[in-house]
Amino acid sequence: EVQLVESGGGLVQPGRSLRLSCAASGFTFDDFAMHWVRQAPGKGLEWVSGISWNSGTIDYADSVKGRFTISRDNAKNSLYLQMNSLRVEDTALYFCTKELGYCASTTCYGFDYWGRGTLVTVSS
Amino acid sequence: DIQMTQFPSTLSASVGDRVTITCRASQDISSWLAWYQQKAGKAPRLLMYKASNLQSGVPSRFSGSGSGTEFTLTISSLQPDDFATYYCQQYNSHVTFGQGTRLEIK
């Protein structure tokens, strides 16, 4: 059974940093691209960042470029999101998601498995 | 960046109805489009990929069509489990979601 379990969320002041983690199991992690998608309270989905299976291709939304860094450790079946210079508008539930099929870049089909999310609240 | 516009934003329908949700891209995205269903407090569920391919395990009452800039998701006969929010997603250039369509019971 595929499982994606996010951790690392919490309450943080504006300007500070936070590192999210996603532990993956139930599939061959290093075969698939992975992504972070967020959802602000009561709002829609916003893609944040994606990383190819071998970390060769990395992509960011304009809203986080230069502040967030995605990475993965295939030996540990883990995905990460380092979030620096956090803003109030970064407050959201952050989902870890898996690309459906093999993809040389970051997205070729869509996201077939999602974690339950970890909540990040940026507030003074 | 590619903008995705869904309409309607809210759709009221009854069990058994045929409903269609439309998604329009600000530029040509070929068939690089997916559809998701999200229920309150849950993670999204992939329904369709590459515009018209049904994801494994999704009921056949769901179908998708379109290419270029105009896409539709159709539910042929609404079931009680289908009342949820639906999102389109383009992945031709970066990734962008539509703003969502809330499907509610009439």
Side-chain angles (χ1 to χ4, degrees):
Chain A
E1 179 193 4
V2 171
Q3 286 198 355
L4 298 170
V5 180
E6 303 93 339
S7 61
L11 174 63
V12 62
Q13 293 179 325
R16 303 298 288 265
S17 299
L18 211 55
R19 189 194 196 210
L20 305 184
S21 299
C22 172
S25 61
F27 66 102
T28 305
F29 183 72
D30 54 12
D31 274 353
F32 296 94
M34 299 292 294
H35 296 259
W36 290 97
V37 175
R38 68 185 181 184
Q39 188 167 36
K43 302 298 184 182
L45 301 172
E46 181 187 14
W47 173 78
V48 174
S49 182
I51 185 168
S52 63
W53 65 276
N54 64 351
S55 304
T57 302
I58 287 175
D59 200 11
Y60 297 99
D62 287 345
S63 58
V64 306
K65 197 174 297 183
R67 300 188 299 122
F68 290 12
T69 302
I70 192 172
S71 62
R72 65 190 295 163
D73 186 335
N74 287 345
K76 295 183 178 180
N77 288 349
S78 293
L79 176 72
Y80 306 100
L81 186 68
Q82 177 66 43
M83 304 186 295
N84 298 332
S85 303
L86 281 162
R87 304 168 179 168
V88 171
E89 55 265 34
D90 295 320
T91 294
L93 185 64
Y94 284 72
F95 294 102
C96 167
T97 76
K98 169 190 167 292
E99 168 64 32
L100 168 64
Y102 172 76
C103 186
S105 59
T106 58
T107 313
C108 297
Y109 302 97
F111 309 155
D112 63 341
Y113 284 95
W114 298 61
R116 292 187 174 185
T118 186
L119 182 62
V120 173
T121 303
V122 185
S123 174
S124 54
Chain B
D1 285 3
I2 298 175
Q3 308 301 318
M4 304 301 291
T5 304
Q6 287 182 235
F7 49 91
S9 295
T10 305
L11 179 57
S12 298
S14 303
V15 172
D17 284 353
R18 178 184 179 91
V19 298
T20 297
I21 299 169
T22 300
C23 182
R24 184 171 292 154
S26 60
Q27 59 187 266
D28 188 340
I29 60 169
S30 184
S31 296
W32 304 117
L33 184 107
W35 288 96
Y36 297 84
Q37 175 195 68
Q38 187 180 31
K39 297 182 178 179
K42 300 290 188 181
R45 173 195 184 193
L46 178 65
L47 300 175
M48 313 288 306
Y49 62 92
K50 290 186 79 173
S52 60
N53 292 270
L54 192 68
Q55 168 64 352
S56 175
V58 175
S60 58
R61 63 181 180 272
F62 290 90
S63 64
S65 65
S67 66
T69 61
E70 194 95 355
F71 301 85
T72 59
L73 174 72
T74 299
I75 309 173
S76 60
S77 178
L78 269 176
Q79 298 303 301
D81 190 50
D82 300 338
F83 292 96
T85 300
Y86 292 83
Y87 294 93
C88 62
Q89 175 207 42
Q90 70 81 21
Y91 45 94
N92 178 74
S93 173
H94 304 291
V95 173
T96 316
F97 287 93
Q99 82 279 12
T101 294
R102 182 175 171 234
L103 178 54
E104 61 180 29
I105 300 174
K106 183 184 285 185

